[in-house]
Amino acid sequence: MFDLNATLGYAPPLDVNNLTKEQTAISIEGLNLYYQQKKALSDITMTIPKGQVTAFIGPSGCGKSTLLRCINRMNDLVEGCRVEGKVRLHGKNIYHPKVDVPTLRRRVGMVFQRPNPFPKSIYENVVYGLRLQGSKESRFLDDAVERSLRAAALWDEVKDRLHENAFGLSGGQQQRLVIARAIAIEPEVLLLDEPTSALDPISTLTIEELINDLKSKYSVVLVTHNMQQAARVSDHTAFIHMGQLVEYSDTDSIFTSPVHKKTEDYITGRYG
Ligand SMILES: Nc1ncnc2c1ncn2[C@@H]1O[C@H](COP(=O)(O)OP(=O)(O)OP(=O)(O)O)[C@@H](O)[C@H]1O
Ligand SMILES: [Mg+2]
């Protein structure tokens, strides 16, 4: 039968609530998280697809960053934080006692709200993780710098000043440098926690275009306060409210026909 969608190259969105094993990057099952006595996440169960952009949205304090940090065990660094449940990366539970956390964090890179380059040259920022892994050969490192900076849409702006200090870059350039540093070690997943909230509109657009390019190689999870941003760059959106996953679906459905009243109230700006 003639398939118009196939002819036009249109693929219907994946159903994130019914992903196959092959389509899944991360699966979270019965996740509860406590800061001391305070429960910050309640019984979160969801699967995050490979090679797509998934956004976490919700009001301030609802647990977006907390959930994101569970995916590379950043919460381990918080005293009094306790996690129950499972988070699987490509099928393996990352909370298993035998998991090597530094290796996990190489597989799951993270970028924060404020650009945080190291006080080193642009070049040394990008090769930082590779040097930690023992890479020394300059030809290999040079190639990695060019590849990562190109992938982060920064190469043309900095190729003539690679050995200058990274603090000389603009905020938007610093954030792209931090993304280049994260992808230099070729992670499987990239976690972005409000990566543009400290940036001007032009830098924000550049990063949004970059996020769209990154998903061809990485599974991207993006926390954002900005609903237009979630609508522009994500394939799937999870709405979180008071530590609970209220609704999770393809981004178009969340923004055009939310099932839950709370989701609708949030996306129409009634609170948050
Ligand atoms: N290190 C911590 N110790 C104790 N409580 C924390 C800690 N980090 C977060 N919380 C609490 O957990 C809850 C969820 O916080 P979280 O930072 O995940 O929210 P968020 O959705 O990312 O908010 P925002 O949009 O403001 O960044 C909040 O009530 C917060 O106060
Ligand atoms: Mg946050």
Side-chain angles (χ1 to χ4, degrees):
M1 204 173 76
F2 176 71
D3 183 340
L4 180 65
N5 284 341
T7 310
L8 295 174
Y10 172 80
L14 289 176
D15 176 0
V16 277
N17 296 304
N18 274 305
L19 294 180
T20 64
K21 216 173 112 201
E22 287 67 39
Q23 292 167 329
T24 304
I26 297 149
S27 83
I28 299 175
E29 201 183 302
L31 185 77
N32 292 302
L33 183 144
Y34 303 82
Y35 292 116
Q36 313 287 354
Q37 306 308 322
K38 185 183 151 30
K39 194 169 189 180
L41 295 176
S42 277
D43 200 23
I44 306 273
T45 294
M46 68 189 298
T47 49
I48 294 174
K50 263 186 209 166
Q52 306 233 308
V53 179
T54 301
F56 294 169
I57 63 168
S60 183
C62 71
K64 304 179 293 296
S65 299
T66 299
L67 181 58
L68 195 73
R69 290 195 299 259
C70 287
I71 303 173
N72 68 350
R73 291 187 52 175
M74 276 311 224
N75 290 316
D76 288 14
L77 308 171
V78 179
E79 222 182 279
C81 174
R82 187 160 58 82
V83 178
E84 297 167 352
K86 290 200 172 96
V87 177
R88 293 196 185 84
L89 172 63
H90 296 137
K92 295 261 165 48
N93 182 16
I94 66 167
Y95 283 92
H96 189 282
K98 289 213 171 118
V99 166
D100 179 58
V101 176
T103 305
L104 168 70
R105 297 208 184 116
R106 279 200 288 278
R107 295 177 62 198
V108 185
M110 188 156 190
V111 171
F112 302 90
Q113 190 166 357
R114 304 223 157 254
N116 60 346
F118 302 135
K120 292 170 178 286
S121 69
I122 294 167
Y123 186 99
E124 285 304 321
N125 265 275
V126 180
V127 299
Y128 185 81
L130 295 169
R131 286 204 196 280
L132 278 184
Q133 289 176 20
S135 303
K136 290 195 183 78
E137 211 222 315
S138 58
R139 176 74 193 282
F140 171 79
L141 296 175
D142 290 353
D143 287 349
V145 167
E146 179 165 349
R147 172 178 49 76
S148 310
L149 288 171
R150 280 192 190 281
L154 187 59
W155 174 252
D156 289 337
E157 289 161 63
V158 301
K159 61 178 191 290
D160 301 321
R161 49 194 284 211
L162 293 175
H163 298 286
E164 291 174 22
N165 196 297
F167 289 166
L169 299 174
S170 72
Q173 289 173 328
Q174 288 187 12
Q175 195 63 309
R176 280 178 283 148
L177 176 63
V178 172
I179 293 173
R181 185 176 69 195
I183 59 184
I185 54 172
E186 309 212 15
E188 292 154 52
V189 177
L190 205 52
L191 308 177
L192 307 173
D193 194 349
E194 304 206 37
T196 63
S197 64
L199 305 180
D200 63 86
I202 304 271
S203 306
T204 296
L205 269 183
T206 311
I207 302 253
E208 287 182 2
E209 282 167 13
L210 167 59
I211 293 171
N212 199 40
D213 295 341
L214 290 173
K215 72 179 183 187
S216 63
K217 273 192 94 175
Y218 309 99
S219 309
V220 179
V221 190
L222 167 74
V223 167
T224 179
H225 251 114
N226 179 328
M227 282 185 279
Q228 285 78 21
Q229 178 166 77
R232 281 193 297 264
V233 304
S234 72
D235 300 291
H236 307 282
T237 298
F239 171 61
I240 301 165
H241 185 250
M242 293 174 75
Q244 292 182 320
L245 178 63
V246 175
E247 190 164 348
Y248 179 36
S249 189
D250 64 279
T251 297
D252 281 349
S253 302
I254 292 280
F255 285 99
T256 59
S257 48
V259 173
H260 292 269
K261 175 90 172 53
K262 274 185 194 143
T263 316
E264 188 182 341
D265 286 351
Y266 184 69
I267 61 164
T268 53
R270 251 166 250 160
Y271 65 90

